[in-house]
Amino acid sequence: MTTTTELSREQRDATMVERYSDGETLDAIGQSYGITRERVRQIIAKVGGASAEESRQKRMAARESAAKAANEAFLAEYGEVSRQMARKGVVRSDVILKLQALYPAVDVDLAEDALRESSIVFDKVQVDDIFSKEAVAAGVWYLFGADLGLSPDPAWAVVNLDLSLMSELRAALSSAEATDNDIATILGVIGAAQRHLSNSPEASITGKRYGQLREELVIALGLVSRQGAFPWPPTRQTVMKRFGGWNEALEEMGIGATSQGRPKGLLKFTREDYADAVRDFYAVASDAHSNATYAAYEEWVKQEVAAGRPRPSGASVRNVYGTWASLSPAHGCQRLMTGTTHAQARLLHTC
């Protein structure tokens, strides 16, 4: 406890008024005289000192002045090297990490405040590539399911969602302080949305509606990271950038249907194209004595596209045939037992 020299009552009261006017709190003043904060307030009110609001403004001004001085001191010492890193394209968060590694005494919070308020121009963090393409698509599935009001389907999700995707989303959502129940609900809704599409292939979602739901649900679930607004589910712009457009994203994921009601996933490729892809991929996997996994198919598709042979994505194939786990070369035959197109005849002959 702080003590003071013996003062007359008038001197003590005048000192209290002066200290309160300078922004000191009632508690701090009362402790130095061994009296309660309420008694200090009464004395100041009686003598006619500053109001509580005036004192609060003084304290705020003092804190702002101290913060400004600390920022200026930080920039005087680290501002130039920070500016040099910014010129090389290093984002602000990475600049702070580099400073902390080389100068352990750097206060991270002070560095963030000082650099944010400085005139140094940093590149913006490119959140587009933070997540895999599958995780970006999962954001669309989630909001698609939320728009339909679907209940989580954990039984379907646990069987059909890839472990790598589940792990990626768990890690990302945990960093935003989402609870285990929140994460389980999100994964369950993703599963419910994919299962729903197999029964209602005409269901879809517009980019505008996606953007509205994203804003609402990010706030509702508190998906906010320490750096600010959390990028998952990704913005509509991010989805469009990764897939080449909104409709292209839906096409690749197998969401939506034409006015003629073509089955899910057949917006860009015909059913024969899907059957051909399944047959050809299994043939390649068999020749290479490798497992016909979803990841292997996606890699094969990249090679095919590079060679000028467009193929439906793994997500679209999975939506057309139900689940990847149940997929087999037989789907190339079983799905084409009607009609007499050239592609069908060729596939049936191979089968």
Side-chain angles (χ1 to χ4, degrees):
M1 179 184 294
T2 303
T3 58
T4 60
T5 57
E6 193 67 32
L7 299 172
S8 67
R9 175 170 295 184
E10 289 77 12
Q11 290 175 319
R12 184 201 66 176
D13 293 352
T15 301
M16 287 184 184
V17 170
E18 183 178 356
R19 289 170 63 179
Y20 191 60
S21 296
D22 288 339
E24 198 166 347
T25 66
L26 296 173
D27 279 329
I29 297 171
Q31 287 177 19
S32 64
Y33 291 103
I35 60 178
T36 66
R37 67 185 302 278
E38 177 58 22
R39 181 56 184 154
V40 174
R41 187 194 65 77
Q42 293 172 355
I43 292 172
I44 292 173
K46 180 179 179 182
V47 175
S51 67
E53 177 60 23
E54 291 171 338
S55 181
R56 188 182 70 83
Q57 292 293 342
K58 286 264 189 170
R59 290 195 298 274
M60 288 180 59
R63 284 197 294 268
E64 290 174 0
S65 178
K68 182 179 179 180
N71 287 352
E72 290 174 350
F74 175 89
L75 292 173
E77 187 167 0
Y78 304 108
E80 182 54 33
V81 293
S82 298
R83 195 177 300 276
Q84 291 176 23
M85 285 188 279
R87 288 172 183 156
K88 290 186 175 183
V90 182
V91 298
R92 187 173 67 226
S93 59
D94 288 349
V95 166
I96 295 172
L97 290 175
K98 295 180 75 173
L99 288 175
Q100 188 181 28
L102 273 299
Y103 306 96
V106 165
D107 183 293
V108 174
D109 292 333
L110 171 60
E112 175 66 29
D113 289 340
L115 293 176
R116 185 176 59 249
E117 298 299 326
S118 73
S119 60
I120 302 174
V121 178
F122 295 95
D123 284 350
K124 293 183 180 295
V125 177
Q126 297 299 313
V127 301
D128 305 60
D129 299 326
I130 288 178
F131 299 113
S132 66
K133 197 172 185 180
E134 291 74 20
V136 172
V140 179
W141 282 116
Y142 171 49
L143 294 181
F144 172 58
D147 190 30
L148 295 172
L150 301 179
S151 298
D153 191 341
W156 197 97
V158 74
V159 172
N160 295 284
L161 296 186
D162 291 335
L163 178 59
S164 59
L165 172 62
M166 296 170 70
S167 299
E168 182 178 1
L169 292 186
R170 279 185 61 85
L173 292 166
S174 294
S175 71
E177 301 181 357
T179 67
D180 288 344
N181 286 336
D182 289 336
I183 296 171
T185 296
I186 289 170
L187 293 173
V189 170
I190 292 172
Q194 293 182 355
R195 185 176 185 181
H196 176 84
L197 196 67
S198 65
N199 298 319
S200 303
E202 73 285 353
S204 189
I205 183 172
T206 66
K208 181 179 180 180
R209 179 59 177 159
Y210 174 91
Q212 293 171 340
L213 284 172
R214 178 186 183 273
E215 183 175 354
E216 293 173 5
L217 290 172
V218 164
I219 295 173
L221 288 175
L223 297 181
V224 178
S225 69
R226 295 180 182 85
Q227 287 73 40
F230 194 64
W232 197 95
T235 64
R236 173 188 177 185
Q237 290 73 21
T238 295
V239 175
M240 293 173 66
K241 183 174 181 180
R242 292 296 293 275
F243 287 90
W246 184 257
N247 288 336
E248 287 74 9
L250 298 185
E251 288 175 7
E252 187 164 333
M253 294 169 63
I255 297 177
T258 66
S259 58
Q260 286 74 34
R262 276 191 291 180
K264 54 188 179 301
L266 302 185
L267 294 173
K268 184 175 181 179
F269 298 97
T270 65
R271 188 174 289 281
E272 289 82 1
D273 292 332
Y274 279 82
D276 285 347
V278 172
R279 180 204 61 196
D280 293 347
F281 168 65
Y282 269 89
V284 169
S286 177
D287 290 343
H289 302 289
S290 60
N291 294 328
T293 64
Y294 180 88
Y297 177 84
E298 288 283 81
E299 187 60 35
W300 176 74
V301 167
K302 293 178 183 178
Q303 297 171 4
E304 289 288 282
V305 171
R309 295 186 292 271
R311 300 284 193 168
S313 70
S316 293
V317 171
R318 184 162 52 189
N319 286 330
V320 167
Y321 294 120
T323 68
W324 189 266
S326 64
L327 193 63
S328 73
H331 284 86
C333 301
Q334 295 169 355
R335 299 288 178 168
L336 296 173
M337 296 305 292
T338 60
T340 57
T341 66
H342 176 70
Q344 291 171 331
R346 184 176 72 251
L347 182 56
L348 288 171
H349 175 73
T350 303
C351 296

